[in-house]
Amino acid sequence: MTRGEIPASVRKEAERLRRDIEEHDRRYYVLDDPAVTDAEYDRLLRRLESLEEAHPALQSPDSPTRRVGGQARSTFSPVPHSRPMLSLENVLTEEEFGEWWDRVHKTLPDAEAAVEPKMDGTSLSLVYEGGALVRAATRGDGNVGEDVTANARTIRSIPLRLKLPPRFPADRFECRGEVYMHRRDFEELNRKALAKGSRTFANPRNAAAGSLRQKDASVTAGRPLRFTVHSAGELPKSLGIRTHEGFIRLCRDLGLPIAHFPLTVCARKEEAVAAWKKWREERPGLPYEIDGIVVKVNSLSGQNALGRTSKSPRWAVAFKFDARQAETVIRSVEFSVGRTGAVTPVAKVDPVSCGGVTIASVSLHNFDEVRRLGVGISDTVLIERAGDVIPKVVRVTRRGENPGEISPPAECPSCGGEVFRGALEKEPEVAYRCGNPFCPAQLERRLLHFAGRSGLDIEGLGEAAAAELARKGRVGDFADLYALKKEDLLDLELFADKKAENLLEEIRRSRTRPLSKLLVAFGIRHVGDRAARALADAYGSLDRLMEAGRDELLKIPELGPVIAESVMKFFSNPSNRAVIERLRKAGLNFTEEKRRAAPSPISGLRVAFTGELEWLPRSQLQELVRRLGGDPTDSVSKKTGLLVAGKNPGSKLEKAKKAGVRVVTEEEFRKLIGKGS
Ligand code: IVH
């Protein structure tokens, strides 16, 4: 061996390191499932760097050590695109989508369509030659883009070389996709920028676009960018690809990141609409922003047959979601009175469509919030509705002329009782409250809670019925419900013959619900599902629970001093006791059956779920966990025993990994509890 020659063992080690690092990049950025710690990853990269330094002949531009390099530049060179990078026509409603679908099917009656989420980022074209990344370009004006190769190389989900199979039939391969950012990475980036006093980005899309177009690639390298392929550039015939789905599969096999696989392929319009609804529902839980779906004719020959207009292809459409924010004007404010008498200001606004529903009223939460927002009647406000979250006012966008002040009412809008400002027990917030314990509005809310899903689950006792029963004085407390007769209901607006009978039957049926449900139904402050269950399990009967002292209650692990105090207070109140005695006479079940004692692999474990779960709806999974002696939870903390992660897991997964919580797939979970498929 002469000087300068590289020993075979070193060459081999370097090649293995490169492959391992590439695979770790893929696992981290593409699969979101790292196999090694950051420290281990750094160790591999440093080892490769030192080998390349010792043996310069090993260096090559596609080495993972060379992601960042070169000089900062003052401009980006223009790059003509092999075929134009088009934009997409938008449709906003099912009707508009239907028109697009019908138009396509007039020409191609049997066309199937592939559905993908529309990633909210910025587009990028990647060109590979001989498997090596040679050019990355932005969309630019669609015909000519900007050369951002140095920047794209720093994005670790973009492979610097493809996993080419032997005898790959194309030397040049182009794909296009979206550069985007995870929401939590975006927030972290802004947090850091704020701490340094630098400019923050308005949203993940701007952050992605801004970061990709940095003059200095080392700045881009520090930005948490990701990439996912969504379309082809020039596609050599030799590849034999016939469908969009086939193209995406090929990209995946070449090691390119595909955020969503497999794609949904639809033969009927209704399926595409269902997919649109599914993604709309999942949108809030995704780690990144999507603003709709893209529906594409799957067959490439079909795409060719349909062609394009000057701006966009006829074979694809962006089926957008309704914006989650909208502007509207506050016309008036009403006050709603809650279960505990808290008076909440509710803004009545000009109806607007937002996040898929029409919104006509928005809660302002409390008067501190009104002050913080500086909002008044006639102001134009930006409202937001993220997923199934209750709409809220984000900020005032334009003051109205003579905005009317929103201040607490002196009297309860329901009973005319005095409204005072005060906290209940150890509550952090100081609310305005109606002090009248017989206030019909409060009673109405209490009845609704009593009859709600997590309470005694009385179907037919919804908002309208609770309001009528409370306001017309037919029911003054929970026990009165069980004394109701058909005649009491028949002269009320809501109850025709059959409906009255149904409600009475439902009320009768509610008597057998277990103690844990009854405890929730009582609406004892701070006692939700979990505490109620713990109390019912620990005592088995209401009579035993009512005798429990403070110290005894505190022995139950799920209970803290605030809950214990609140429980004691509730049961020592003579009027509550009186209602309870009447409920006993009415025949309500005051006991809880012992839960199955047989040990299961999850007994005593707190179990959380994240992502799309296919086997059962989440509520049923939670019930199953309960039956097996586990404790279903919504959030992840150190105390969580097990996280079941489905497809597209949310931030809970990251949290669980950090906290060292055991994570299993849905399949593994089924096996664990003996229900494997
Ligand atoms: S296909 C010719 N698929 O949306 C059609 N585009 O308004 C090529 N985008 O510039 C685009 N997700 O950057 C396609 N799944 C997806 C997409 C997607 C996001 C972006 C893309 C394009 C813009 C069109």
Side-chain angles (χ1 to χ4, degrees):
M1 189 174 69
T2 56
R3 256 174 74 86
E5 222 175 276
I6 303 170
S9 63
V10 171
R11 206 176 267 289
K12 260 202 188 135
E13 185 187 355
E15 190 44 42
R16 201 185 50 242
L17 282 166
R18 284 182 190 171
R19 260 204 316 270
D20 286 354
I21 292 167
E22 281 166 6
E23 182 57 19
H24 291 318
D25 280 343
R26 205 174 72 85
R27 291 197 63 137
Y28 190 96
Y29 287 99
V30 181
L31 307 178
D32 213 0
D33 181 24
V36 292
T37 60
D38 289 356
E40 174 64 8
Y41 179 88
D42 287 342
R43 196 187 64 73
L44 297 175
L45 200 63
R46 273 201 308 274
R47 172 75 186 147
L48 180 59
E49 268 167 2
S50 72
L51 288 183
E52 289 178 354
E53 221 169 284
H55 307 278
L58 278 176
Q59 292 173 10
S60 93
D62 62 5
S63 167
T65 59
R66 299 279 296 276
R67 282 203 177 262
V68 190
Q71 298 276 306
R73 34 172 92 214
S74 55
T75 55
F76 299 107
S77 328
V79 181
H81 293 303
S82 59
R83 29 183 255 201
M85 284 180 83
L86 300 173
S87 58
L88 292 167
E89 180 198 343
N90 290 333
V91 293
L92 294 160
T93 61
E94 288 179 45
E95 199 185 351
E96 286 174 7
F97 174 69
E99 286 166 13
W100 174 83
W101 182 277
D102 295 343
R103 214 163 45 234
V104 164
H105 285 79
K106 226 178 192 171
T107 313
L108 303 169
D110 300 323
E112 289 188 328
V115 171
E116 291 166 357
K118 185 166 189 300
M119 311 289 288
D120 204 1
T122 184
S123 45
L124 183 71
S125 141
L126 298 178
V127 176
Y128 289 87
E129 275 173 12
L133 177 68
V134 294
R135 185 74 62 243
T138 62
R139 177 167 178 269
D141 66 3
N143 292 312
V144 179
E146 293 169 318
D147 184 341
V148 288
T149 313
N151 296 2
R153 288 174 62 90
T154 70
I155 301 175
R156 287 217 274 159
S157 59
I158 295 182
L160 296 179
R161 52 180 184 171
L162 297 176
K163 290 203 272 189
L164 291 187
R167 291 188 295 283
F168 187 65
D171 182 52
R172 192 183 146 92
F173 180 80
E174 182 187 358
C175 65
R176 294 166 177 182
E178 202 78 353
V179 173
Y180 66 105
M181 234 180 238
H182 275 192
R183 222 175 289 133
R184 61 167 187 263
D185 292 338
F186 156 75
E187 280 154 15
E188 175 72 23
L189 181 68
N190 267 356
R191 247 196 310 279
K192 281 192 197 148
L194 262 181
K196 279 198 304 191
S198 2
R199 205 168 69 89
T200 55
F201 290 103
N203 54 47
R205 175 173 15 95
N206 290 1
S211 300
L212 182 64
R213 293 187 74 263
Q214 288 295 320
K215 300 281 159 64
D216 181 351
S218 69
V219 176
T220 308
R223 301 283 171 81
L225 294 174
R226 293 167 192 257
F227 178 77
T228 179
V229 174
H230 57 50
S231 52
E234 204 174 25
L235 197 58
K237 285 237 161 11
S238 53
L239 288 170
I241 300 291
R242 283 209 274 274
T243 60
H244 173 67
E245 194 189 10
F247 170 74
I248 293 292
R249 182 173 303 115
L250 169 69
C251 289
R252 189 198 54 164
D253 294 345
L254 292 174
L256 285 157
I258 309 296
H260 306 280
F261 201 82
L263 305 186
T264 312
V265 177
C266 307
R268 293 183 315 120
K269 174 162 49 183
E270 292 72 24
E271 291 169 49
V273 172
W276 177 66
K277 288 184 179 158
K278 178 181 112 6
W279 281 109
R280 190 175 62 186
E281 220 162 86
E282 289 183 358
R283 180 187 194 189
L286 295 175
Y288 41 77
E289 304 272 352
I290 63 175
D291 56 350
I293 59 169
V294 183
V295 184
K296 304 169 183 177
V297 169
N298 195 23
S299 129
L300 300 191
S301 61
Q303 293 185 1
N304 272 334
L306 287 162
R308 47 173 277 202
T309 66
S310 62
K311 280 201 229 91
S312 46
R314 289 203 179 85
W315 47 264
V317 74
F319 191 178
K320 304 265 276 208
F321 299 135
D322 199 359
R324 286 190 286 186
Q325 295 191 327
E327 273 196 342
T328 183
V329 179
I330 297 187
R331 294 298 174 192
S332 63
V333 166
E334 290 180 1
F335 300 100
S336 89
V337 183
R339 223 163 10 109
T340 62
V343 176
T344 304
V346 178
K348 298 287 156 184
V349 298
D350 286 345
V352 278
S353 168
C354 178
V357 295
T358 302
I359 290 172
S361 60
V362 186
S363 169
L364 295 168
H365 300 298
N366 55 52
F367 294 93
D368 289 341
E369 177 73 355
V370 169
R371 219 160 303 127
R372 190 185 69 76
L373 289 165
V375 63
I377 294 165
S378 85
D379 284 348
T380 302
V381 289
L382 184 69
I383 62 169
E384 180 178 80
R385 181 178 173 272
D388 44 19
V389 178
I390 312 162
K392 63 170 190 188
V393 171
V394 183
R395 62 169 183 271
V396 175
T397 51
R398 211 165 340 110
R399 291 309 316 257
E401 289 176 20
N402 308 317
E405 198 183 322
I406 301 172
S407 44
E411 291 174 356
C412 170
S414 168
C415 68
E418 192 190 342
V419 167
F420 64 93
R421 180 158 214 207
L424 278 186
E425 290 142 41
K426 297 187 170 112
E427 224 173 32
E429 138 248 18
V430 181
Y432 286 83
R433 292 179 193 285
C434 161
N436 172 11
F438 302 104
C439 166
Q442 290 181 45
L443 177 61
E444 176 188 328
R445 308 311 299 185
R446 283 201 294 272
L447 283 179
L448 252 180
H449 181 79
F450 186 83
R453 276 275 163 73
S454 47
L456 292 197
D457 197 9
I458 305 175
E459 216 183 293
L461 187 46
E463 298 224 1
E468 244 200 322
L469 291 173
R471 286 184 203 159
K472 301 252 167 80
R474 300 295 149 96
V475 173
D477 58 42
F478 303 145
D480 287 348
L481 280 175
Y482 297 91
L484 280 175
K485 302 213 168 34
K486 200 168 162 188
E487 308 84 81
D488 300 327
L489 296 177
L490 282 180
D491 64 328
L492 297 181
E493 269 166 45
L494 223 62
F495 297 99
D497 200 43
K498 191 74 196 147
K499 238 178 157 186
E501 264 170 34
N502 287 349
L503 178 59
L504 290 177
E505 178 54 32
E506 276 294 320
I507 292 175
R508 256 194 303 280
R509 214 181 289 170
S510 74
R511 295 179 308 173
T512 57
R513 307 261 193 267
L515 175 60
S516 51
K517 298 284 185 187
L518 183 61
L519 290 175
V520 175
F522 283 157
I524 307 169
R525 287 189 64 68
H526 310 295
V527 176
D529 268 343
R530 178 199 296 263
R533 220 168 264 283
L535 286 165
D537 282 345
Y539 289 94
S541 86
L542 186 57
D543 291 296
R544 291 200 45 228
L545 169 59
M546 286 198 290
E547 300 312 316
R550 190 170 187 283
D551 294 344
E552 211 184 307
L553 286 172
L554 282 176
K555 285 201 191 110
I556 303 176
E558 287 86 349
L559 261 52
V562 176
I563 303 184
E565 197 65 46
S566 175
V567 170
M568 302 258 307
K569 201 168 159 198
F570 182 85
F571 288 120
S572 60
N573 178 330
S575 39
N576 290 343
R577 286 264 181 174
V579 171
I580 288 171
E581 283 321 305
R582 285 167 53 223
L583 289 173
R584 186 198 306 279
K585 289 215 181 76
L588 267 81
N589 174 20
F590 280 6
T591 63
E592 185 87 3
E593 251 177 61
K594 273 252 163 296
R595 260 163 244 289
R596 206 181 73 172
S600 90
I602 58 166
S603 24
L605 279 192
R606 285 197 184 182
V607 182
F609 296 91
T610 182
E612 293 164 38
L613 301 161
E614 280 165 7
W615 178 33
L616 291 172
R618 193 161 298 192
S619 57
Q620 285 183 29
L621 284 169
Q622 289 173 335
E623 190 54 40
L624 185 66
V625 167
R626 241 173 245 133
R627 280 213 308 266
L628 292 171
D631 185 2
T633 59
D634 283 331
S635 58
V636 166
S637 74
K638 279 207 191 81
K639 290 188 194 152
T640 310
L642 188 69
L643 175 72
V644 184
K647 262 195 287 170
N648 301 318
S651 60
K652 279 184 218 166
L653 180 60
E654 203 70 10
K655 234 182 179 173
K657 284 182 185 160
K658 275 207 187 112
V661 171
R662 181 175 170 205
V663 179
V664 293
T665 63
E666 195 174 359
E667 200 52 49
E668 288 163 345
F669 175 66
R670 291 181 66 174
K671 282 213 186 94
L672 182 69
I673 59 170
K675 304 215 182 239
S677 53

